C-alpha cells in the first residue's frame, strides 16, 4: 500500500521535510515512488503537487497524521471532496 509521508532533510536544528509517496513497508528514508511536496516547519512554507497527491489519495493511499494535517491546512480535501479520515483496523 502506498502512503504519503514526510522524509527528513537538512542539518541539525535546520530541518526541512519532503512529502513523498512511499510503500508502507519501506523505512522513512527509503526510496520514494514519487516526491509530491515540500514542507518547511521553521518558516511554515508548503509546496504541494496537488495532481499527484489527489491521484494517490483516490487510489486509496492513507496519509500519515502529519501529512493529513498539512493537506487540511492547504484545503486539499475541500477542493477535491476526499475524506481524509484515518482507517483503523481492529
Amino acid at each position: 500500500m502506498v502512503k504519503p509521508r514526510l522524509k527528513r532533510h537538512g542539518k541539525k536544528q535546520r530541518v526541512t521535510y519532503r512529502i513523498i509517496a512511499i510503500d508502507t513497508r519501506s523505512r522513512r528514508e527509503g526510496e520514494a515512488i514519487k516526491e509530491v511536496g515540500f514542507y518547511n516547519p521553521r518558516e511554515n512554507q508548503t509546496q504541494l503537487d496537488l495532481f499527484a497527491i489527489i491521484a494517490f489519495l483516490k487510489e486509496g493511499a492513507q496519509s500519515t497524521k502529519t501529512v493529513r494535517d498539512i493537506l487540511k491546512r492547504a484545503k486539499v480535501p475541500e477542493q477535491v471532496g476526499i475524506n481524509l479520515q484515518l482507517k483503523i483496523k481492529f
Side-chain angles (χ1 to χ4, degrees), residues 29-75:
E29 305 301 327
E31 187 175 341
I33 297 171
K34 185 170 183 175
E35 201 172 292
V36 294
F38 171 82
Y39 174 59
N40 184 351
R42 292 179 292 118
E43 299 175 11
N44 202 15
Q45 292 178 329
T46 306
Q47 179 181 355
L48 301 171
D49 181 3
L50 291 177
F51 294 115
I53 292 170
I54 292 166
F56 283 117
L57 292 175
K58 284 188 176 180
E59 289 177 11
Q62 293 294 309
S63 60
T64 60
K65 185 176 186 293
T66 308
V67 173
R68 195 173 332 117
D69 291 342
I70 292 169
L71 294 177
K72 283 182 183 177
R73 272 190 255 138
K75 299 184 180 174

Side-chain angles (χ1 to χ4, degrees), residues 18-37:
R18 293 190 180 160
I19 301 170
I20 59 172
I22 193 167
D23 188 20
T24 56
R25 297 169 289 188
S26 298
R27 58 192 176 93
R28 180 184 73 181
E29 305 301 327
E31 187 175 341
I33 297 171
K34 185 170 183 175
E35 201 172 292
V36 294

